[in-house]
Amino acid sequence: MSYTEVPGVNVPIRMWTDPAAVEGQAMQQLRNISSLPWIAGLAVMPDVHLGKGATVGSVIAMKGAVCPAAVGVDIGCGMSAVRTSLTTRDLPDNLTRLRSRIEQAIPVGRGLHDQPVDPRSLHGFPTAGWDDFWSRFDGIADAVKWRRERAMQQMGTLGSGNHFVEFCTDTSGSVWLMLHSGSRNIGKELAEHHMGIARGLPHNQGLVDRDLAVFIAQTPQMAAYRQDLFWAQEYAKLNRTVMMKLFQDVVRKEFTRAKVSFDDVISCHHNYVSEETYEGQELLVTRKGAIRAGSGDYGIIPGSMGTGSYIVRGLGNEAAFNSASHGAGRKMSRSAAKRKFGVRDLEEQTRGVECRKDSGVVDEIPGAYKPIEKVMAQQTDLVEVVAQLKQLVCVKG
């Protein structure tokens, strides 16, 4: 579909979904965003839903300013996926042991590694730049420097919430590895630190929503935020890289006879800031729950833990600031999902998937999410499908 343009305050709101289907609070958030003095454009993805300050599924282009809440607290959160040489013919009937070994290799929830992962121990890990990355930790905000040891131990861990590791198959029978995670606790603390600073700045006092507070270009506060932001985005990417190597090592050991090989890894952020140029203007583009989908860019759009996911290639639609959705998007809150569904519903909706089926993950039940097929149908002018995946194993945080 093409977008529907809804009037905003300072810019129109371009929506790749039916505006009538968007919850009232989310629409008000979008109007609030459109009222920011620095706004240059606003695109809304089909997985849009209510967020903290800024709406999830929004692409916000600003001139000379950036809004920390439009990135979110999980700076650099995103996806990685890789096709393997395995096919469904190589797989046993029971994948319980594989799931157990994944969980042993990759800490989930609040778990962390007993000792920081040594990248030199990981098969094929690109170690160039690793020491330089950690040396730059000394330059981040003083308020979080005491978290260094924890940040190192959390490198290569999944986290909780909607984060996951999946062992999937595509429609041709090829096996894929996929995972979803971000910058862990260090990214969250950096985000909250800078959001607090932004809310106190004089130029933000008259905003309709103080959570939309911004940093302005060529100020010390902006410089400090950008330094920490880009470091946290790099942490998130490295975190996924370490996890993918750990995942690949598990698969190699589990399928020794198959001598598994892997294609190049596809990786994309979906909570981040990027410097981009549109119509001759240099803009700061914030994607909160959206991926970059420039012409030829590969991306990953997951559904829920019982449905499936898509590997896509961007079509370069500049009306959407070269973006697409980051997933199916929630249609109800976690608390609402827990009220509506129980363990039996979870068991039914994840039938055929080796995964947790207990009360601790009911809030991630497929019924809490929008239908991924509908979300994909609403963005055919943003991406083309390269592969359609269905999970066989899902490890949740």
Side-chain angles (χ1 to χ4, degrees):
M1 65 172 282
S2 59
Y3 64 89
T4 299
E5 194 165 280
V6 175
V9 180
N10 290 328
V11 295
I13 305 170
R14 300 170 183 165
M15 306 189 69
W16 274 261
T17 189
D18 178 4
V22 179
E23 58 194 314
Q25 288 179 291
M27 279 302 306
Q28 186 57 54
Q29 279 189 333
L30 293 170
R31 293 189 191 97
N32 292 346
I33 294 167
S34 77
S35 73
L36 292 173
W38 311 272
I39 191 81
L42 175 58
V44 181
M45 302 297 101
D47 58 342
V48 60
H49 59 93
L50 186 68
K52 172 69 171 175
T55 322
V56 179
S58 60
V59 182
I60 303 166
M62 290 195 196
K63 180 70 174 176
V66 67
C67 171
V71 182
V73 294
D74 195 357
I75 297 171
C77 186
M79 302 281 304
S80 293
V82 63
R83 184 171 59 184
T84 78
S85 59
L86 290 171
T87 71
T88 51
R89 295 188 298 273
D90 298 310
L91 307 182
D93 293 334
N94 191 316
L95 293 170
T96 303
R97 187 176 72 176
L98 175 62
R99 176 187 154 205
S100 176
R101 291 190 172 180
I102 296 168
E103 291 170 341
Q104 290 170 14
I106 301 174
V108 304
R110 295 185 178 181
L112 39 74
H113 292 283
D114 293 336
Q115 297 294 329
V117 175
D118 182 353
R120 293 167 295 187
S121 68
L122 301 175
H123 187 279
F125 187 91
T127 56
W130 180 265
D131 292 338
D132 175 67
F133 168 76
W134 283 110
S135 72
R136 284 185 277 121
F137 188 93
D138 294 334
I140 67 174
D142 289 340
V144 303
K145 282 183 181 176
W146 67 285
R147 292 293 196 183
R148 182 187 181 106
E149 183 177 355
R150 186 178 184 187
M152 294 184 76
Q153 289 178 273
Q154 284 194 321
M155 178 68 77
T157 67
L158 186 64
S160 57
N162 62 353
H163 295 160
F164 62 78
V165 176
E166 289 186 344
F167 186 82
C168 310
T169 181
D170 64 20
T171 52
S172 71
S174 292
V175 170
W176 290 69
L177 313 185
M178 185 167 67
L179 55 85
H180 170 209
S181 190
S183 54
R184 305 296 284 108
N185 187 67
I186 193 68
K188 175 179 178 292
E189 294 207 10
L190 283 170
E192 291 175 343
H193 169 73
H194 287 287
M195 285 178 186
I197 292 173
R199 281 193 290 267
L201 294 175
H203 61 261
N204 290 317
Q205 301 313 301
L207 298 180
V208 64
D209 183 351
R210 291 280 296 282
D211 283 331
L212 292 176
V214 307
F215 292 116
I216 296 176
Q218 298 181 355
T219 62
Q221 296 89 352
M222 171 70 107
Y225 177 62
R226 283 169 63 117
Q227 176 175 282
D228 291 355
L229 169 77
F230 292 137
W231 184 89
Q233 288 180 182
E234 190 173 352
Y235 181 102
K237 186 174 181 179
L238 285 169
N239 183 43
R240 291 193 295 275
T241 302
V242 171
M243 276 193 289
M244 184 58 79
K245 290 299 182 183
L246 293 170
F247 193 4
Q248 289 175 342
D249 285 348
V250 168
V251 170
R252 281 193 188 93
K253 293 172 183 176
E254 189 70 4
F255 300 96
T256 306
R257 292 183 179 178
K259 297 181 180 178
V260 187
S261 61
F262 303 92
D263 290 352
D264 292 338
V265 175
I266 298 167
S267 184
C268 58
H269 289 321
H270 55 226
N271 282 11
Y272 76 112
V273 177
S274 177
E275 299 169 337
E276 300 178 16
T277 301
Y278 294 92
E279 297 180 352
Q281 285 195 93
E282 294 182 359
L283 303 175
L284 286 166
V285 178
T286 302
R287 296 182 175 91
K288 182 176 183 177
I291 62 171
R292 179 170 169 84
S295 181
D297 289 340
Y298 282 92
I300 307 160
I301 303 178
S304 61
M305 62 188 288
T307 53
S309 303
Y310 292 84
I311 307 297
V312 299
R313 186 163 45 231
L315 297 177
N317 190 328
E318 293 204 357
F321 299 102
N322 292 325
S323 304
S325 79
H326 83 311
R330 298 191 73 93
K331 67 179 181 183
M332 65 179 69
S333 68
R334 295 184 182 279
S335 57
K338 290 178 179 179
R339 288 193 299 269
K340 182 171 182 178
F341 299 110
V343 171
R344 287 188 179 180
D345 299 308
L346 180 64
E347 291 172 347
E348 179 61 32
Q349 293 182 30
T350 59
R351 191 177 302 278
V353 180
E354 174 59 45
C355 64
R356 286 178 60 186
K357 301 177 192 285
D358 57 69
S359 60
V361 292
V362 166
D363 57 342
E364 281 293 300
I365 192 169
Y369 284 82
K370 299 175 183 179
I372 185 64
E373 296 81 10
K374 183 176 180 180
V375 168
M376 296 304 298
Q378 291 175 315
Q379 54 186 333
T380 54
D381 60 334
L382 304 182
V383 292
E384 59 182 352
V385 174
V386 174
Q388 183 175 354
L389 311 184
K390 178 71 174 72
Q391 62 270 77
L392 304 174
V393 176
C394 177
V395 173
K396 294 293 293 188

